[in-house]
Structures are given as structure tokens and as C-alpha cells.
Amino acid sequence: GSGLGKTHLLQAIGQVVQATGKRALYVTSEVFTNEMIGAIRTQTTEEFRAKYRTIDVLLLDDVHFIGGKEQTQEEFFHTFNALHTSNRQIVLTSDRPPQAIATLEDRLRSRFGWGMIADIQPPNLETRIAILMTKAASLGQRVPDDVLALIAQRAHKNIRDLEGALTKVLAHAELFKRPLNAALVEDALAYLMP
């Protein structure tokens, strides 16, 4: 799902790849599609293909975006094959598994299944608390452990919600000159209550 760290994971993979001296290219599927359309329009498809087919690792974010786009899927199919044939790596992210992308061509769906599929789930309570501790420290804020635990209990769907909840609690404390405590969390995060 959204906000669980797929893009951060791709960025981290890209940094590790580049640290080993290899060339990595991170791109969203939307950018891939738009660059392909631009290459067709300007008759620069060879340059487009060279950009995507000569790198060591292709990091493609939100691959579900190409579902239903026939020409993009066709171009990506050949890009995938070119990279795979030359023993290059491809890392894809999506908000659902390949089998659940109804508008994805079968030949792409089967190729995506060749690799390892990792299902990233929302973090558990302990991990959410650790994320909040790190975020609070990075903001230079001292937040009591019970307050962090309460925020982590309320904001549990994804990391963006979690960090947003912390920001809202800290803003409420500053704006209303209130101490960081359970009552403040309850007031500031009332919108997260069932």
C-alpha cells in the first residue's frame, strides 16, 4: 500500500548499487511512459532505448501505472527482455502483486513473477514507536515514551500517517502551549478515532 516505504527501499537499493560502481536508474512508471511518448514524438526512440537498456539496474516505481497502456507495456516488455538477457537487474514496486494488476499483459505478469515478490506490510507497534522516536529525535524534540506509544496506537495504517500524527501532536503542543501528554494526543488525533 501507499506510504509503507516502497520508494525509500528503491532509493536505498540504488545507493547501494552506485556505491559498488554500477549504474542504477530510478524512474517512476509515469516518467517512463512520458519519456517514451516524448521519444516517439521527437523520433528519438533509439536514445530512449539506450538510456533504459544499457544500465546495470533499473528501479521502476509504481509499475501498476503501465497497466492498460498498450504501447508502454510493449516498450517495457522489450526493455525487460533486453536487461534480463544481459544479466542486468530490474526492481519493480507496485501497490499490489502482478497477478492483481488486471490491465497488465499476461506476458509481463509472468515475467514479473520470475523474481522475488516481497509483500511490505504496515509496521507493527514496536516498529512504529521506533520510527516515531527517530523522527522526534531528528526534529530535536523530546517526546515522552507514553505519548509516542499512544501516537503509534492511533496512527497505524502507514508511515506517512504516523509521521503526520507526530507532527500534528507537536504542532498542537506548541500552538496551544500544552504539555506533551495523553490528553493532548487524544485532542490532536481525534480525527483518527474510529
Side-chain angles (χ1 to χ4, degrees):
S2 179
L4 294 178
K6 297 180 301 294
T7 300
H8 281 84
L9 186 57
L10 277 186
Q11 295 288 340
I13 292 168
Q15 289 177 7
V16 169
V17 167
Q18 289 180 332
T20 64
K22 294 187 176 183
R23 294 175 302 131
L25 175 62
Y26 166 84
V27 66
T28 65
S29 295
E30 183 178 13
V31 168
F32 180 88
T33 299
N34 291 338
E35 286 184 4
M36 185 201 71
I37 292 167
I40 292 169
R41 189 177 55 243
T42 59
Q43 298 180 352
T44 57
T45 53
E46 289 309 312
E47 290 89 347
F48 170 83
R49 289 176 181 151
K51 174 182 178 178
Y52 286 97
R53 297 179 187 182
T54 59
I55 55 168
D56 297 307
V57 179
L58 175 60
L59 306 163
L60 188 68
D61 209 354
D62 295 328
V63 75
H64 56 272
F65 180 81
I66 70 171
K69 296 175 176 66
E70 288 182 34
Q71 201 162 4
T72 301
Q73 289 187 67
E74 179 73 22
E75 188 62 39
F76 188 69
F77 172 79
H78 294 295
T79 298
F80 186 101
N81 284 343
L83 291 170
H84 184 266
T85 301
S86 55
N87 292 319
R88 309 278 171 80
Q89 293 292 309
I90 306 160
V91 183
L92 311 171
T93 68
S94 178
D95 61 1
R96 58 194 156 238
Q99 301 77 11
I101 306 173
T103 54
L104 190 64
E105 291 179 4
D106 286 338
R107 62 186 182 164
L108 281 175
R109 192 177 294 115
S110 71
R111 277 164 177 73
F112 294 172
W114 285 348
M116 180 185 82
I117 297 176
D119 184 15
I120 301 173
Q121 293 297 316
N124 62 27
L125 179 63
E126 292 80 11
T127 304
R128 292 193 307 271
I129 292 170
I131 290 168
L132 288 172
M133 285 177 166
T134 302
K135 183 67 174 179
S138 75
L139 296 171
Q141 298 286 330
R142 293 180 48 89
V143 182
D145 291 346
D146 63 321
V147 170
L148 293 175
L150 190 54
I151 295 169
Q153 289 169 2
R154 296 286 186 265
H156 56 82
K157 292 184 179 168
N158 63 52
I159 296 165
R160 283 190 199 115
D161 287 349
L162 189 64
E163 290 183 348
L166 175 63
T167 301
K168 186 161 186 150
V169 167
L170 294 173
H172 268 66
E174 187 175 329
L175 289 172
F176 300 114
K177 307 291 186 233
R178 291 180 58 188
L180 287 168
N181 58 28
L184 173 67
V185 174
E186 297 294 343
D187 290 346
L189 303 183
Y191 69 98
L192 291 175
M193 297 300 190

